């Protein structure tokens, strides 16, 4: 593409929970992988993540610790940012809803929607779930009379409040969902949202007076803006809404909101109505990913099976964790994780398949040709099939990544890795090295192996950025790996004649299960 196509992807902004868990790492790793692929494919990417820092439960948690809400969230958000750094998350902006730039935007939006008559003052009497910060009707509660999302008790709330005329936009949002089948993915989430709207949408309470940790309503400061009204507008803040028209036009509408399936409703129905009230286009896609199941049970603090991602990274390395989550879980579905499954993937896929391929190739290049790779002149019976599979792999991988089929894309790359390992066995370079008459064939084979690894290093870069860079360096490339593009491997034969490879270093040591 001559002019870079803009691509805007977001994760939800995370509630500053005192306990980080692997679910945070999963969602953000998926988004980072998509963002990295889009950069690799030549897009102009803006990748946003952040923290959702207001609301009653934050204020209550801070009071319990005897600190201010701001001090409470500052400490926890630092933990998020440490985790993102450890995982190599390549975000372009980290939005905190406690920032002044966000306060100003929320108040401007609230004022605009109020001025046009879509926000009005009334009294809220109903049911509220503080952990989910959600309002519910009696009919929406679960069979035990609890919150239908988290299944914890709801509270009866009665207070003066402002309401957003969400019911005014219900038919328009429903029609939009039905007319744009790709808007909500996967299809099961789309069907859930259609059913939810068809049950009837009430106007949304968008302010609270029972606590003060939030953004004040601009014309009535004893009210604070409802946390979800505040949080959803975060997607507009970093791309210049109301401040930088050129940047905003460039990136909006958002290409992908990647969220957990439990908050699809907020990101499609409530957010959709808000955007319609503002006269803005809806996001192109809201993708609700599944939950992580730990040894057969949904991850939960109460069950005590919350997995600490930092401990896993310290033990196995960030790229191994990234690979496992993306390979093992089909995006959109719930996925089971276990320590044994993780170790098996590291040993089989990373240490055996990829690590051994790199080590064998570079060791033979050093042993037989002092590390100098030339194209050679003697073809073997197996070269053409490797070249053809390389081209097919790049083509299939690109299509799968564009469709956000991350696990299938990884399997596509690993099929190519397996084929390259088989190519070594088929051509037997150690045998060719014994026959001076086959010196040209040996050169040809070594060239094919290094070229295949070069292609592999670029294809795995979105999934395992550190490993990709290490392979690139061991293959002897000194250029800036961040500047590498998919176009660089569009044709076989990108490695120049006379290229010198580096020394093999172990990528992933095998892990013994005791």
């Amino acid at each position: 593409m001559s002019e870079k196509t803009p691509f805007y992807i977001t994760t939800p902004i995370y509630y500053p929970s005192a306990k980080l868990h692997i679910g945070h790492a999963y969602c953000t790793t998926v988004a980072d992988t998509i963002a990295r692929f889009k950069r690799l494919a030549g897009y102009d990417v803006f990748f946003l993540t952040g923290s959702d820092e207001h609301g009653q439960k934050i204020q209550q948690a801070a009071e319990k610790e005897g600190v201010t809400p701001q001090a409470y969230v500052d400490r926890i958000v630092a933990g998020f940012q440490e985790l993102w750094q450890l995982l190599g998350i390549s975000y372009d902006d980290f939005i905190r809803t406690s920032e002044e730039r966000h306060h100003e935007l929320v108040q401007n939006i609230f004022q605009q929607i109020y001025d046009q008559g879509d926000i009005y003052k009334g009294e809220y009497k109903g049911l509220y779930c503080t952990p989910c910060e959600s309002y519910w009707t009696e009919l929406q509660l679960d069979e035990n009379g609890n919150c239908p999302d988290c299944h914890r008790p709801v509270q009866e709330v009665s207070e003066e409040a402002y309401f957003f005329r969400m019911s005014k936009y219900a038919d328009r949002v429903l029609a939009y969902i039905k007319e744009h089948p790709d808007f909500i993915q996967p299809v099961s989430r789309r069907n859930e949202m259609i059913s939810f709207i068809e049950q009837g949408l009430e106007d949304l309470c968008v302010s609270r007076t029972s606590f003060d940790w939030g953004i004040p309503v601009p014309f009535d400061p004893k009210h604070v803006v409802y946390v979800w009204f505040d949080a959803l507008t975060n997607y507009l803040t970093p791309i210049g809404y109301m401040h930088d028209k050129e940047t905003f036009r460039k990136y909006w509408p958002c290409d992908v909101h990647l969220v957990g399936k439990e908050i699809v409703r907020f990101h499609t129905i409530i957010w959709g109505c808000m955007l319609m009230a503002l006269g803005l286009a809806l996001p192109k896609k809201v993708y609700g990913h599944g939950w992580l199941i730990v040894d057969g049970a949904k991850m939960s603090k109460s069950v005590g099976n919350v997995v600490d991602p930092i401990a896993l990274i310290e033990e196995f390395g960030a790229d191994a964790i990234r690979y496992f989550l993306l390979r093992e879980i089909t995006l959109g579905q719930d996925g089971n994780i276990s320590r044994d499954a993780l170790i098996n993937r590291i040993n089989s896929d990373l240490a055996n398949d990829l690590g051994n391929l790199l080590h064998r190739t570079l060791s033979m290049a050093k042993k037989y040709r002092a590390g100098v790779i030339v194209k050679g002149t003697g073809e073997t019976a197996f070269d053409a099939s490797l070249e053809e599979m390389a081209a097919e792999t790049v083509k299939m991988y690109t299509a799968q990544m564009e469709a956000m089929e991350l696990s299938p894309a990884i399997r596509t790359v690993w099929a190519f890795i397996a084929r390259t390992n088989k190519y070594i066995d088929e051509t037997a370079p150690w045998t060719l090295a014994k026959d001076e008459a086959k010196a040209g064939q040996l050169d040809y084979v070594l060239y094919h192996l290094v070229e295949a690894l070069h292609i592999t290093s670029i294809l795995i870069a979105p999934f395992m950025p550190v490993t990709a860079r290490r392979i690139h360096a061991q293959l002897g490339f000194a250029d800036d790996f961040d500047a590498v593009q998919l176009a660089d491997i569009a044709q076989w034969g990108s490695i120049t004649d006379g290229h010198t490879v580096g020394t093999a270093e172990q990528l992933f040591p095998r892990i013994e299960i005791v």
Side-chain angles (χ1 to χ4, degrees), residues 19-310:
K19 182 74 173 178
L20 289 170
H21 60 74
I22 197 69
H24 296 120
Y26 173 64
C27 180
T28 311
T29 297
V30 170
D32 180 68
T33 299
I34 295 167
R36 286 179 179 274
F37 165 74
K38 289 291 186 178
R39 294 189 194 106
L40 195 66
Y43 288 77
D44 177 359
V45 174
F46 194 97
F47 171 26
L48 176 69
T49 189
S51 53
D52 172 14
E53 301 181 12
H54 292 129
Q56 187 175 16
K57 58 183 177 179
I58 296 285
Q59 185 162 320
Q60 290 174 346
E63 288 169 355
K64 190 179 292 185
E65 291 195 10
V67 297
T68 65
Q70 189 66 60
Y72 176 81
V73 296
D74 284 348
R75 173 175 57 82
I76 296 175
V77 168
F80 274 112
Q81 291 173 323
E82 178 193 6
L83 176 57
W84 300 160
Q85 185 174 9
L86 288 172
L87 278 170
I89 304 301
S90 60
Y91 59 80
D92 294 287
D93 202 332
F94 186 98
I95 180 71
R96 298 184 60 181
T97 57
S98 62
E99 294 178 77
E100 183 55 39
R101 60 173 174 159
H102 185 65
H103 280 213
E104 181 185 1
L105 180 132
V106 171
Q107 289 185 319
N108 286 342
I109 286 175
F110 201 98
Q111 185 75 56
Q112 177 183 330
I113 297 177
Y114 175 78
D115 289 344
Q116 69 193 40
D118 282 342
I119 290 178
Y120 61 92
K121 195 173 190 178
E123 184 178 7
Y124 179 77
K125 290 183 179 178
L127 304 168
Y128 186 71
C129 175
T130 299
C132 292
E133 294 178 314
S134 299
Y135 297 97
W136 301 106
T137 65
E138 290 276 1
L139 292 175
Q140 292 170 329
L141 300 181
D142 68 13
E143 64 275 10
N144 298 313
N146 294 329
C147 171
D149 280 350
C150 71
H151 306 293
R152 285 174 281 195
V154 294
Q155 297 174 304
E156 287 192 12
V157 175
S158 177
E159 60 182 310
E160 179 185 88
Y162 286 92
F163 291 80
F164 169 49
R165 296 186 193 276
M166 199 159 71
S167 57
K168 173 181 173 181
Y169 297 96
D171 290 344
R172 282 179 59 190
V173 168
L174 180 60
Y176 186 89
I177 293 171
K178 289 182 175 180
E179 292 165 7
H180 297 80
D182 290 335
F183 172 51
I184 304 174
Q185 291 293 321
V187 174
S188 58
R189 315 279 185 259
R190 177 175 180 266
N191 294 338
E192 289 168 8
M193 296 307 107
I194 290 173
S195 175
F196 188 92
I197 298 173
E198 287 178 340
Q199 293 173 27
L201 279 190
E202 296 185 348
D203 289 347
L204 179 69
C205 179
V206 289
S207 77
R208 300 292 303 275
T209 58
S210 53
F211 61 92
D212 59 8
W213 177 238
I215 299 173
V217 170
F219 48 83
D220 195 348
K222 71 176 182 289
H223 289 253
V224 295
V225 176
Y226 170 49
V227 64
W228 271 106
F229 191 100
D230 159 9
L232 288 164
T233 56
N234 93 87
Y235 302 121
L236 304 179
T237 302
I239 57 170
Y241 182 61
M242 293 187 170
H243 291 291
D244 185 345
K245 291 181 180 179
E246 184 177 343
T247 300
F248 184 73
R249 278 197 302 267
K250 180 179 180 182
Y251 290 113
W252 194 263
C254 179
D255 291 274
V256 180
H257 284 325
L258 183 71
V259 301
K261 63 182 179 180
E262 72 280 5
I263 55 174
V264 169
R265 177 171 56 87
F266 296 94
H267 284 80
T268 56
I269 299 174
I270 295 177
W271 185 220
C273 291
M274 289 171 61
L275 289 167
M276 286 179 174
L278 291 169
L280 296 176
L282 273 62
K284 296 175 186 176
K285 188 187 299 294
V286 178
Y287 200 108
H289 66 75
W291 288 328
L292 298 190
I293 309 299
V294 180
D295 293 323
K298 180 180 179 292
M299 192 165 54
S300 163
K301 292 180 193 174
S302 59
V303 174
N305 62 349
V306 172
V307 177
D308 179 1
I310 292 180

Side-chain angles (χ1 to χ4, degrees), residues 22 292-296 299 307 312 324-325 328-329 335-339 341:
I22 197 69
L292 298 190
I293 309 299
V294 180
D295 293 323
M299 192 165 54
V307 177
L312 281 181
F324 175 75
L325 292 173
E328 204 75 5
I329 300 167
N336 190 62
I337 63 173
S338 72
R339 184 180 180 83

